Structures are given as C-alpha cells and as structure tokens.
C-alpha cells in the first residue's frame, strides 16, 4: 500500500476502531469524549491531506485485499467524495466537542458519534454500491439511536419516526441497488456507469427513479419531508447539528454521485421533475419557516427549503450547476451546524454566532451563504436560457427574500426583544432562550461561525474544491463522458 | 419461476406497507420487518438461476461450471438480512420505550402526547428537569433502565 492508500483508510479506520473501543468505556467521563474528539480530529486532518492530494493528482484508489480492480471491493477517494467527507467530519467534530463541553449524558454517545463519522466517511469514499448501502446503514442506525439522546419522550418519538421512515428509504435504496446489479451484473460504480450507458433507458429509468426517491427521502424534500420537523425540532442541539449538518449530506452526495455521475442520462430525462420538486421545496420550506415561532422549528423548515436550492442546481447541471450544487451543500451543512449548535445555548457570543449562521442561510454577503446563493443564481442565469431561466432566477430571489425574512424574525425574537415583560408569561416562555452554556462551548460555536465568515471573505479554496468536485462528475468520474 | 418470485415479493411488500400504515406500533414494526425481508428476497431473486446451488459444483472430472446461481447476491442478501434484523431490534426498543413512558401502543394517542409536549418544548433543555424521570414511568422500570445504561440512580 502506498502512503496515499494508507491515508485513504485512516478516516474510516481510526473512527471505527475508536468507536468500538469507546463503546466499552463510560462515555460520560470527559476524557472518553475527548478521545472521541481527538479521533475525529485525526480523521479530519487525514481528510485534509487527502483532499489536497486528490485535488492535485486525481483520485486515490484502494482495492480491498489486494485484488485486481473490478474484482475486489474498491475504495476510491475523488474530489467529490472527499469534499463531502471533509465538511461532514468538520460538523461532527464540532458537535462532539460541543457535547463534551456541555457534558455528555449517555455512556454510548461518543461511540455512536464516531460510528456516524466512520459510516459517513466510508460512504463518501467507496467505489462499490453495496458498500455504499452498508456504510449508509452504519451511520443511519447510529443516528437513529442518537436522535433519542437525552431520552425525553418527544425525542424517543422522534427517533421512532426517524427510524421507521428512513428504514423504509434504505430498503427502497437497497431494492434499487439489487435492480442495478441485475441489469449490469456488477456492483462496482465504474462498471455500472459504463454498462448502464449501453442499456436502453426504460429499465434503468425505473431503477433511477427508485434510487432518487430514496435520496429525496433522506434529504427531506417537499413531498418526502413529513418526518423531518418532528425529528429536527425535538433533537438535542448537537444531535440536530449532526443530523442536518452531516447526515443530510448523504442525500445530496447520493444525488450527485448516483444521479449526475452514474446515471446522467436518466437524471437528464428527469430534469423537469427534479426542478419542480426543488422549486416546491424552496417555496414550501420558506413559507412554513416564516410562519413558525420557535428558532429550531424555523430552522427545521428552512432545512427543507435549503435542499431545494441544491436540487435546482443539480437539475440545471453542467459545470456551473454541479459546482453550485457542491458549493451549496458544503455551505449549507456548515450553516446548519452553526445554527443548531447555537440554538442550544445562549450568551452574547452565541447570539453573534447564531446571527452569522442565520444570515448565512439568508445569503447576506460577508457570510459564506452568500457564495452558495450566488452560485445557484449564476447557474440559473447561465445554465437555463429563456423563460425557464427567468423563472428560476425569480424563484431563487423569492426564496432568498423569504429566508432573509425568517432569519430576521428569529433574530428579533431571540435576541433583540427584551426578556419577559411579565404580561404574557405563557408566550414569553417561548422566547426565553435555553441555558447559558459553559464558556468553552460558546467559544466553539462562535469559532465555527467565524469559519463561516472566513469562508465568505476568502472563498477561493472552497470554490476551487467545488469546481474540482464538479470536474470529477463532468470528466466522467466513474462513468464515461456525459 | 420469475413471475412467482415477483408475486411473492410483491405480496410481502404490500402486506408490509399495509401494516406500516396501521395505528398499532407493533404492527408498524412487523410491517418494517416484512418490507426488509421482501427486499432481501428481491436481492436473492436478482441472481436466481432456476433453483441451482450457489456453490460451485465440482465432480470427479473437474470443473463443470454449468448452472450455478450467483453467489454474490446471496452474500448481499445475508448482509441485508443482518442489518434488517439489527434495525428491527432497535425499533422494537423504541416502541418499548414509548410504551414504558406513555402506556399506549396507539399511534394516535402518541401523537396527541406529541402535541401536548410541543407546547412545553422550550423548557426541555432545563437541566433540573432532565434528571427527573417522566411521571408516567413507574419507578421499577426506571431503576432497571438506569442500571442497564449505567446511569447513576437517584
């Protein structure tokens, strides 16, 4: 194994081994959580180095057991996968540190978080569709348990809903994989892409629809969104950050990998559907978010709207569209991480962090969210001419206006309005923010918000990485020429 | 043969979906188990070759190489079964936990409780409240839970 290949195994290997060993220890002790955070940090550093190598030299491949390529199970890191792994592990690390500072209450918590990280990094860097499913299930089942963290009744209910709905989604995905295997006779992404391009569209189109539906469910798009608010609103701050900042990336990555990369022809046929779903999500999410009072509820509905933009960018396609989709996914998960973590505690620094996060979601310039909105805007103008293009620009603009509105509303409710006036204790209960967290947690949240601001002020690396990821798709990636 | 398998998969999947839409939580879990088993059956059927064994048959003359079913799909089905089994167990734990705290297995009643809780949601992160067990839960099961999870008993 070369040095790059060893590096490729680190993000999965380190978190996995630690997850298993920490499961035996009492996770409520601070040092156990710290070891977990350290493991995540090692994983993050190796992903950074890997990202650097991959963007410079192209994909790194490792076939398990030293088999020939096409025979053994392939691990493959390219710019697209590494970008998603990088941002997901960043959010998970932040959530883990946050929880260590606030105080872990479950002995299994650090181990479960590590399992989510291991599953996610494996999923983003596998070259085998069945392994994708297995890693998907590893991170999903760990997150089902995490949703019930703190064991309030509504959290257990949330976990139940989350588990049932997403289990249905993964079964549908599994059926899609089995069907792909039937028509292509292979599980290797590269081979699948080559062979589906030769098949007639009819059968592959059905399979593509099944797989896309599974990812739509995972993303929480408009008609598939019903489970999302119940889960995101009830979850503890760090868990909600992991769910919406890291786990939801599976959906956008899956659509980019399976849709744009493996089945580009089928995605092309479904462009109108994808576009309509994206538009419906933007409008629905924004309207619901505007009408809610509670900060985490607003953010849960806003999450539905935000994935709509990713879908729009995906439907537009081409270099601009795919770059916008990757860029928006990255920025979106950082936004969500900051906002959900900040919603759990209070204090001036946290307030500032929340404001930065919320306004980044709205797309106000200094924050990174502006870049995402800008990229989608650009894609809408350049990618689609005529009436459709104009309609998309109008939609993106309208969605942006709404997200500005609800961001400002929460800001006003949560931070500007003076506390209890004593007149309406019932209503004021809604407005009193939660407990003041320990200083370390507050600095952490603020630091993460500064990263968001920094990426907005110095966007070159982010844009470069997103372009490299889009190039992977366009240059064929696994598939042939699009 | 193909038609028969397809029909079996369809019937199991449909029954699972029907159960999934019921109000009783146990039925929902059974529905999930049926659906994941339908998926496993679907995987096996994708490598179906007229009921032949998946093991490479060797006779005295050497390799025959004829008429073996695809072993890969069977390995996949096995993996999927194990995952489905683990998740079914996990969901059963959730159901038990809901039953222990709310004393009902009916989805509608659980949903009503959800509406009630939604109002007091903002108070939920209060650390004082966290340490208290929910009122509906009897002390015995709480103690047992506490012991199992290594929580410090009060």
């Amino acid at each position: 194994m070369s040095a790059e290949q060893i590096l490729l195994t680190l993000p999965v290997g380190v978190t996995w081994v630690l997850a298993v060993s920490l499961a035996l220890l009492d996770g409520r002790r601070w040092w156990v959580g710290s070891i977990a955070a350290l493991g995540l940090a090692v994983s993050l550093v190796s992903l950074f180095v890997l990202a650097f190598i991959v963007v410079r030299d192209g994909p790194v491949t490792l076939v398990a057991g030293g088999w020939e390529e096409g025979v053994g199970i392939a691990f493959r890191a390219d710019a697209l996968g590494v970008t998603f792994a990088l941002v997901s592990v960043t959010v998970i690390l932040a959530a883990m540190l946050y929880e260590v500072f606030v105080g872990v209450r479950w002995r299994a918590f650090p181990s479960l978080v590590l399992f989510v990280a291991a599953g996610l990094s494996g999923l983003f860097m596998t070259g085998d569709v069945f392994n994708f499913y297995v890693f998907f299930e590893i991170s999903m089942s760990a997150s089902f348990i995490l949703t019930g963290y703190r064991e309030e009744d509504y959290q257990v209910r949330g976990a139940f809903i989350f588990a049932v709905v997403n289990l249905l989604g993964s079964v549908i995905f599994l059926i899609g994989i089995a069907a792909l295997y039937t028509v292509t006779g292979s599980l290797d992404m590269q081979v699948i892409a080559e062979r589906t391009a030769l098949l007639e569209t009819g059968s592959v189109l059905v399979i593509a629809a099944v797989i896309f539906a599974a990812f739509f469910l995972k993303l929480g798009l408009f008609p598939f969104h019903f489970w999302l608010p119940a889960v995101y609103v009830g979850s503890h701050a760090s868990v909600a950050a992991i769910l919406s900042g890291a786990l939801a990336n599976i959906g956008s990555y899956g659509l980019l990998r399976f849709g744009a990369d493996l089945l580009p022809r089928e995605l092309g046929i479904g462009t109108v559907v994808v576009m309509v779903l994206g538009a419906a999500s933007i409008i629905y999410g924004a309207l619901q978010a505007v009408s809610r009072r509670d900060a985490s509820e607003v953010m849960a509905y806003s999450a539905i709207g935000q994935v709509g933009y990713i879908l729009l960018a995906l439907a537009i396609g081409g270099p601009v569209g795919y770059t916008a989709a990757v860029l928006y996914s990255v920025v979106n998960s950082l936004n969500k991480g900051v906002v959900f973590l900040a919603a759990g505690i209070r204090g001036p620094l946290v307030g500032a962090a929340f404001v930065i996060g919320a306004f980044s979601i709205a797309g106000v310039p200094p924050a990174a969210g502006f870049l995402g909105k800008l990229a989608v805007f650009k894609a809408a103008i350049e990618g689609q001419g005529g009436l459709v293009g104009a309609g998309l620009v109008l939609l993106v603009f309208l969605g942006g206006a709404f997200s500005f509105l609800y961001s400002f509303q929460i800001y006003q409710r949560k931070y500007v309005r003076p506390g209890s006036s004593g007149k309406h204790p019932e209503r004021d209960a809604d407005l009193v923010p939660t407990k003041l967290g320990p200083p370390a947690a507050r600095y952490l949240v603020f630091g993460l918000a500064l990263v968001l601001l920094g990426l907005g002020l110095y966007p070159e690396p982010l844009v470069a990485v997103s372009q490299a990821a889009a190039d992977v798709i366009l240059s064929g990636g696994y598939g042939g020429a699009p | 043969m193909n038609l028969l398998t397809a029909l079996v998969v369809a019937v199991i999947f449909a029954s699972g979906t029907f159960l999934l839409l019921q109000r009783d939580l146990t039925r929902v879990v059974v529905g999930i188990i049926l659906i994941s088993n339908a998926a496993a059956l679907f995987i096996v059927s994708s490598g179906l070759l007229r009921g032949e064994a998946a093991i490479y048959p060797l006779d005295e003359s050497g390799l025959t190489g004829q008429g073996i079913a695809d072993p890969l799909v069977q390995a996949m089905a096995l993996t999927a079964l194990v995952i489905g089994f683990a998740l079914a167990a996990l969901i059963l734990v959730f159901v038990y936990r809901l039953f222990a705290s709310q004393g009902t297995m009916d989805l509608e009643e659980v949903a009503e409780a959800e509406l009630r809780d939604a109002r007091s949601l903002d108070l939920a992160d209060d650390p004082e409240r966290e340490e208290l067990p929910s009122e509906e839960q009897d002390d015995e099961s709480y103690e047992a839970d506490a012991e199992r999870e290594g929580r410090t008993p009060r």
Side-chain angles (χ1 to χ4, degrees), chain A residues 68-94:
Chain A
E68 272 177 57
E69 217 169 317
V71 178
I73 297 169
F75 257 87
R76 196 180 139 133
D78 55 20
L80 181 63
V82 169
T83 311
F84 274 93
L86 204 54
V87 68
S88 306
V89 173
T90 309
V91 173
I92 294 177
L93 174 62

PDB file of all heavy atoms in Angstrom, chain A residues 68-94:
ATOM      1  N   GLU A  68      -7.487  -7.431  -7.893  1.00  0.00           N
ATOM      2  CA  GLU A  68      -7.435  -6.553  -9.052  1.00  0.00           C
ATOM      3  C   GLU A  68      -8.636  -5.626  -9.057  1.00  0.00           C
ATOM      4  O   GLU A  68      -9.681  -5.952  -8.493  1.00  0.00           O
ATOM      5  CB  GLU A  68      -7.492  -7.397 -10.333  1.00  0.00           C
ATOM      6  CG  GLU A  68      -6.155  -7.858 -10.822  1.00  0.00           C
ATOM      7  CD  GLU A  68      -6.341  -8.743 -12.033  1.00  0.00           C
ATOM      8  OE1 GLU A  68      -6.953  -8.269 -13.005  1.00  0.00           O
ATOM      9  OE2 GLU A  68      -5.903  -9.904 -11.979  1.00  0.00           O
ATOM     10  N   GLU A  69      -8.474  -4.510  -9.715  1.00  0.00           N
ATOM     11  CA  GLU A  69      -9.597  -3.582  -9.801  1.00  0.00           C
ATOM     12  C   GLU A  69     -10.714  -4.227 -10.624  1.00  0.00           C
ATOM     13  O   GLU A  69     -10.463  -4.830 -11.672  1.00  0.00           O
ATOM     14  CB  GLU A  69      -9.142  -2.283 -10.466  1.00  0.00           C
ATOM     15  CG  GLU A  69      -9.796  -1.075  -9.843  1.00  0.00           C
ATOM     16  CD  GLU A  69      -9.153   0.213 -10.301  1.00  0.00           C
ATOM     17  OE1 GLU A  69      -7.915   0.266 -10.370  1.00  0.00           O
ATOM     18  OE2 GLU A  69      -9.890   1.148 -10.586  1.00  0.00           O
ATOM     19  N   GLY A  70     -11.937  -4.110 -10.133  1.00  0.00           N
ATOM     20  CA  GLY A  70     -13.051  -4.739 -10.822  1.00  0.00           C
ATOM     21  C   GLY A  70     -13.400  -6.085 -10.219  1.00  0.00           C
ATOM     22  O   GLY A  70     -14.494  -6.579 -10.399  1.00  0.00           O
ATOM     23  N   VAL A  71     -12.451  -6.672  -9.465  1.00  0.00           N
ATOM     24  CA  VAL A  71     -12.742  -7.943  -8.800  1.00  0.00           C
ATOM     25  C   VAL A  71     -13.046  -7.681  -7.326  1.00  0.00           C
ATOM     26  O   VAL A  71     -14.100  -8.031  -6.825  1.00  0.00           O
ATOM     27  CB  VAL A  71     -11.561  -8.924  -8.940  1.00  0.00           C
ATOM     28  CG1 VAL A  71     -11.863 -10.210  -8.197  1.00  0.00           C
ATOM     29  CG2 VAL A  71     -11.278  -9.194 -10.401  1.00  0.00           C
ATOM     30  N   GLY A  72     -12.089  -7.021  -6.658  1.00  0.00           N
ATOM     31  CA  GLY A  72     -12.266  -6.745  -5.236  1.00  0.00           C
ATOM     32  C   GLY A  72     -13.160  -5.537  -5.016  1.00  0.00           C
ATOM     33  O   GLY A  72     -13.594  -4.869  -5.954  1.00  0.00           O
ATOM     34  N   ILE A  73     -13.433  -5.273  -3.738  1.00  0.00           N
ATOM     35  CA  ILE A  73     -14.255  -4.125  -3.379  1.00  0.00           C
ATOM     36  C   ILE A  73     -13.375  -2.882  -3.354  1.00  0.00           C
ATOM     37  O   ILE A  73     -12.355  -2.848  -2.663  1.00  0.00           O
ATOM     38  CB  ILE A  73     -14.908  -4.346  -2.005  1.00  0.00           C
ATOM     39  CG1 ILE A  73     -15.841  -5.558  -2.071  1.00  0.00           C
ATOM     40  CG2 ILE A  73     -15.658  -3.123  -1.556  1.00  0.00           C
ATOM     41  CD1 ILE A  73     -16.328  -6.011  -0.729  1.00  0.00           C
ATOM     42  N   ALA A  74     -13.772  -1.887  -4.123  1.00  0.00           N
ATOM     43  CA  ALA A  74     -12.905  -0.715  -4.286  1.00  0.00           C
ATOM     44  C   ALA A  74     -13.251   0.393  -3.298  1.00  0.00           C
ATOM     45  O   ALA A  74     -14.421   0.637  -2.999  1.00  0.00           O
ATOM     46  CB  ALA A  74     -13.014  -0.189  -5.706  1.00  0.00           C
ATOM     47  N   PHE A  75     -12.202   1.014  -2.793  1.00  0.00           N
ATOM     48  CA  PHE A  75     -12.332   2.267  -2.058  1.00  0.00           C
ATOM     49  C   PHE A  75     -11.753   3.323  -2.954  1.00  0.00           C
ATOM     50  O   PHE A  75     -10.699   3.145  -3.537  1.00  0.00           O
ATOM     51  CB  PHE A  75     -11.504   2.214  -0.778  1.00  0.00           C
ATOM     52  CG  PHE A  75     -12.330   1.993   0.430  1.00  0.00           C
ATOM     53  CD1 PHE A  75     -12.637   0.719   0.839  1.00  0.00           C
ATOM     54  CD2 PHE A  75     -12.805   3.071   1.144  1.00  0.00           C
ATOM     55  CE1 PHE A  75     -13.412   0.512   1.947  1.00  0.00           C
ATOM     56  CE2 PHE A  75     -13.582   2.868   2.251  1.00  0.00           C
ATOM     57  CZ  PHE A  75     -13.883   1.595   2.659  1.00  0.00           C
ATOM     58  N   ARG A  76     -12.446   4.416  -3.091  1.00  0.00           N
ATOM     59  CA  ARG A  76     -11.939   5.390  -4.035  1.00  0.00           C
ATOM     60  C   ARG A  76     -12.265   6.775  -3.543  1.00  0.00           C
ATOM     61  O   ARG A  76     -13.411   7.104  -3.272  1.00  0.00           O
ATOM     62  CB  ARG A  76     -12.593   5.148  -5.384  1.00  0.00           C
ATOM     63  CG  ARG A  76     -11.894   5.831  -6.518  1.00  0.00           C
ATOM     64  CD  ARG A  76     -12.637   5.518  -7.792  1.00  0.00           C
ATOM     65  NE  ARG A  76     -12.694   6.731  -8.567  1.00  0.00           N
ATOM     66  CZ  ARG A  76     -12.406   6.774  -9.857  1.00  0.00           C
ATOM     67  NH1 ARG A  76     -12.093   5.694 -10.493  1.00  0.00           N
ATOM     68  NH2 ARG A  76     -12.468   7.906 -10.502  1.00  0.00           N
ATOM     69  N   ALA A  77     -11.237   7.593  -3.385  1.00  0.00           N
ATOM     70  CA  ALA A  77     -11.458   8.971  -2.949  1.00  0.00           C
ATOM     71  C   ALA A  77     -11.260   9.894  -4.130  1.00  0.00           C
ATOM     72  O   ALA A  77     -10.192   9.912  -4.728  1.00  0.00           O
ATOM     73  CB  ALA A  77     -10.485   9.328  -1.839  1.00  0.00           C
ATOM     74  N   ASP A  78     -12.283  10.607  -4.524  1.00  0.00           N
ATOM     75  CA  ASP A  78     -12.098  11.654  -5.520  1.00  0.00           C
ATOM     76  C   ASP A  78     -12.566  12.979  -4.906  1.00  0.00           C
ATOM     77  O   ASP A  78     -13.031  13.015  -3.767  1.00  0.00           O
ATOM     78  CB  ASP A  78     -12.820  11.329  -6.830  1.00  0.00           C
ATOM     79  CG  ASP A  78     -14.291  11.058  -6.630  1.00  0.00           C
ATOM     80  OD1 ASP A  78     -14.826  11.478  -5.592  1.00  0.00           O
ATOM     81  OD2 ASP A  78     -14.903  10.444  -7.507  1.00  0.00           O
ATOM     82  N   ALA A  79     -12.417  14.044  -5.668  1.00  0.00           N
ATOM     83  CA  ALA A  79     -12.666  15.376  -5.097  1.00  0.00           C
ATOM     84  C   ALA A  79     -14.083  15.498  -4.550  1.00  0.00           C
ATOM     85  O   ALA A  79     -14.311  16.113  -3.504  1.00  0.00           O
ATOM     86  CB  ALA A  79     -12.407  16.445  -6.144  1.00  0.00           C
ATOM     87  N   LEU A  80     -15.048  14.892  -5.239  1.00  0.00           N
ATOM     88  CA  LEU A  80     -16.441  14.989  -4.803  1.00  0.00           C
ATOM     89  C   LEU A  80     -16.638  14.346  -3.433  1.00  0.00           C
ATOM     90  O   LEU A  80     -17.149  14.979  -2.493  1.00  0.00           O
ATOM     91  CB  LEU A  80     -17.340  14.308  -5.841  1.00  0.00           C
ATOM     92  CG  LEU A  80     -18.840  14.320  -5.581  1.00  0.00           C
ATOM     93  CD1 LEU A  80     -19.373  15.733  -5.568  1.00  0.00           C
ATOM     94  CD2 LEU A  80     -19.569  13.489  -6.611  1.00  0.00           C
ATOM     95  N   GLY A  81     -16.183  13.089  -3.296  1.00  0.00           N
ATOM     96  CA  GLY A  81     -16.366  12.378  -2.040  1.00  0.00           C
ATOM     97  C   GLY A  81     -15.609  13.031  -0.902  1.00  0.00           C
ATOM     98  O   GLY A  81     -16.140  13.203   0.195  1.00  0.00           O
ATOM     99  N   VAL A  82     -14.347  13.412  -1.172  1.00  0.00           N
ATOM    100  CA  VAL A  82     -13.525  13.981  -0.106  1.00  0.00           C
ATOM    101  C   VAL A  82     -14.109  15.296   0.389  1.00  0.00           C
ATOM    102  O   VAL A  82     -14.128  15.569   1.591  1.00  0.00           O
ATOM    103  CB  VAL A  82     -12.073  14.164  -0.596  1.00  0.00           C
ATOM    104  CG1 VAL A  82     -11.281  14.994   0.392  1.00  0.00           C
ATOM    105  CG2 VAL A  82     -11.413  12.826  -0.771  1.00  0.00           C
ATOM    106  N   THR A  83     -14.639  16.110  -0.518  1.00  0.00           N
ATOM    107  CA  THR A  83     -15.242  17.373  -0.100  1.00  0.00           C
ATOM    108  C   THR A  83     -16.385  17.129   0.871  1.00  0.00           C
ATOM    109  O   THR A  83     -16.467  17.766   1.931  1.00  0.00           O
ATOM    110  CB  THR A  83     -15.806  18.122  -1.326  1.00  0.00           C
ATOM    111  OG1 THR A  83     -14.815  18.157  -2.325  1.00  0.00           O
ATOM    112  CG2 THR A  83     -16.236  19.518  -0.961  1.00  0.00           C
ATOM    113  N   PHE A  84     -17.259  16.191   0.517  1.00  0.00           N
ATOM    114  CA  PHE A  84     -18.402  15.909   1.387  1.00  0.00           C
ATOM    115  C   PHE A  84     -17.940  15.308   2.711  1.00  0.00           C
ATOM    116  O   PHE A  84     -18.458  15.655   3.776  1.00  0.00           O
ATOM    117  CB  PHE A  84     -19.391  14.973   0.686  1.00  0.00           C
ATOM    118  CG  PHE A  84     -20.372  15.698  -0.172  1.00  0.00           C
ATOM    119  CD1 PHE A  84     -20.137  15.901  -1.510  1.00  0.00           C
ATOM    120  CD2 PHE A  84     -21.537  16.200   0.374  1.00  0.00           C
ATOM    121  CE1 PHE A  84     -21.039  16.589  -2.301  1.00  0.00           C
ATOM    122  CE2 PHE A  84     -22.452  16.881  -0.406  1.00  0.00           C
ATOM    123  CZ  PHE A  84     -22.191  17.086  -1.743  1.00  0.00           C
ATOM    124  N   ALA A  85     -16.945  14.403   2.668  1.00  0.00           N
ATOM    125  CA  ALA A  85     -16.445  13.795   3.894  1.00  0.00           C
ATOM    126  C   ALA A  85     -15.851  14.868   4.798  1.00  0.00           C
ATOM    127  O   ALA A  85     -16.079  14.888   6.004  1.00  0.00           O
ATOM    128  CB  ALA A  85     -15.402  12.736   3.563  1.00  0.00           C
ATOM    129  N   LEU A  86     -15.112  15.780   4.189  1.00  0.00           N
ATOM    130  CA  LEU A  86     -14.439  16.845   4.937  1.00  0.00           C
ATOM    131  C   LEU A  86     -15.451  17.697   5.697  1.00  0.00           C
ATOM    132  O   LEU A  86     -15.315  17.913   6.906  1.00  0.00           O
ATOM    133  CB  LEU A  86     -13.666  17.707   3.944  1.00  0.00           C
ATOM    134  CG  LEU A  86     -12.478  18.504   4.444  1.00  0.00           C
ATOM    135  CD1 LEU A  86     -11.511  17.589   5.159  1.00  0.00           C
ATOM    136  CD2 LEU A  86     -11.792  19.172   3.275  1.00  0.00           C
ATOM    137  N   VAL A  87     -16.480  18.160   5.012  1.00  0.00           N
ATOM    138  CA  VAL A  87     -17.429  19.056   5.667  1.00  0.00           C
ATOM    139  C   VAL A  87     -18.250  18.292   6.708  1.00  0.00           C
ATOM    140  O   VAL A  87     -18.518  18.804   7.803  1.00  0.00           O
ATOM    141  CB  VAL A  87     -18.313  19.792   4.637  1.00  0.00           C
ATOM    142  CG1 VAL A  87     -19.241  18.857   3.943  1.00  0.00           C
ATOM    143  CG2 VAL A  87     -19.108  20.871   5.321  1.00  0.00           C
ATOM    144  N   SER A  88     -18.580  17.024   6.423  1.00  0.00           N
ATOM    145  CA  SER A  88     -19.363  16.259   7.390  1.00  0.00           C
ATOM    146  C   SER A  88     -18.572  16.018   8.662  1.00  0.00           C
ATOM    147  O   SER A  88     -19.089  16.190   9.772  1.00  0.00           O
ATOM    148  CB  SER A  88     -19.777  14.911   6.801  1.00  0.00           C
ATOM    149  OG  SER A  88     -20.425  15.109   5.591  1.00  0.00           O
ATOM    150  N   VAL A  89     -17.297  15.616   8.509  1.00  0.00           N
ATOM    151  CA  VAL A  89     -16.494  15.336   9.704  1.00  0.00           C
ATOM    152  C   VAL A  89     -16.258  16.630  10.488  1.00  0.00           C
ATOM    153  O   VAL A  89     -16.235  16.615  11.719  1.00  0.00           O
ATOM    154  CB  VAL A  89     -15.176  14.634   9.316  1.00  0.00           C
ATOM    155  CG1 VAL A  89     -14.270  14.491  10.522  1.00  0.00           C
ATOM    156  CG2 VAL A  89     -15.458  13.263   8.749  1.00  0.00           C
ATOM    157  N   THR A  90     -16.129  17.756   9.786  1.00  0.00           N
ATOM    158  CA  THR A  90     -15.982  19.031  10.493  1.00  0.00           C
ATOM    159  C   THR A  90     -17.180  19.286  11.401  1.00  0.00           C
ATOM    160  O   THR A  90     -17.023  19.616  12.581  1.00  0.00           O
ATOM    161  CB  THR A  90     -15.874  20.200   9.487  1.00  0.00           C
ATOM    162  OG1 THR A  90     -14.874  19.878   8.529  1.00  0.00           O
ATOM    163  CG2 THR A  90     -15.518  21.490  10.188  1.00  0.00           C
ATOM    164  N   VAL A  91     -18.375  19.129  10.855  1.00  0.00           N
ATOM    165  CA  VAL A  91     -19.584  19.381  11.646  1.00  0.00           C
ATOM    166  C   VAL A  91     -19.684  18.386  12.806  1.00  0.00           C
ATOM    167  O   VAL A  91     -20.008  18.757  13.940  1.00  0.00           O
ATOM    168  CB  VAL A  91     -20.843  19.309  10.752  1.00  0.00           C
ATOM    169  CG1 VAL A  91     -22.102  19.392  11.593  1.00  0.00           C
ATOM    170  CG2 VAL A  91     -20.826  20.425   9.739  1.00  0.00           C
ATOM    171  N   ILE A  92     -19.359  17.109  12.532  1.00  0.00           N
ATOM    172  CA  ILE A  92     -19.446  16.097  13.595  1.00  0.00           C
ATOM    173  C   ILE A  92     -18.453  16.409  14.701  1.00  0.00           C
ATOM    174  O   ILE A  92     -18.774  16.308  15.887  1.00  0.00           O
ATOM    175  CB  ILE A  92     -19.196  14.691  13.021  1.00  0.00           C
ATOM    176  CG1 ILE A  92     -20.318  14.321  12.060  1.00  0.00           C
ATOM    177  CG2 ILE A  92     -19.124  13.662  14.131  1.00  0.00           C
ATOM    178  CD1 ILE A  92     -20.130  13.001  11.380  1.00  0.00           C
ATOM    179  N   LEU A  93     -17.233  16.814  14.310  1.00  0.00           N
ATOM    180  CA  LEU A  93     -16.219  17.148  15.314  1.00  0.00           C
ATOM    181  C   LEU A  93     -16.699  18.306  16.185  1.00  0.00           C
ATOM    182  O   LEU A  93     -16.586  18.266  17.419  1.00  0.00           O
ATOM    183  CB  LEU A  93     -14.897  17.513  14.624  1.00  0.00           C
ATOM    184  CG  LEU A  93     -13.778  18.020  15.537  1.00  0.00           C
ATOM    185  CD1 LEU A  93     -13.383  16.954  16.539  1.00  0.00           C
ATOM    186  CD2 LEU A  93     -12.560  18.424  14.732  1.00  0.00           C
ATOM    187  N   ALA A  94     -17.271  19.332  15.541  1.00  0.00           N
ATOM    188  CA  ALA A  94     -17.774  20.479  16.302  1.00  0.00           C
ATOM    189  C   ALA A  94     -18.862  20.027  17.276  1.00  0.00           C
ATOM    190  O   ALA A  94     -18.868  20.427  18.448  1.00  0.00           O
ATOM    191  CB  ALA A  94     -18.315  21.545  15.355  1.00  0.00           C
TER     192      ALA A  94
END
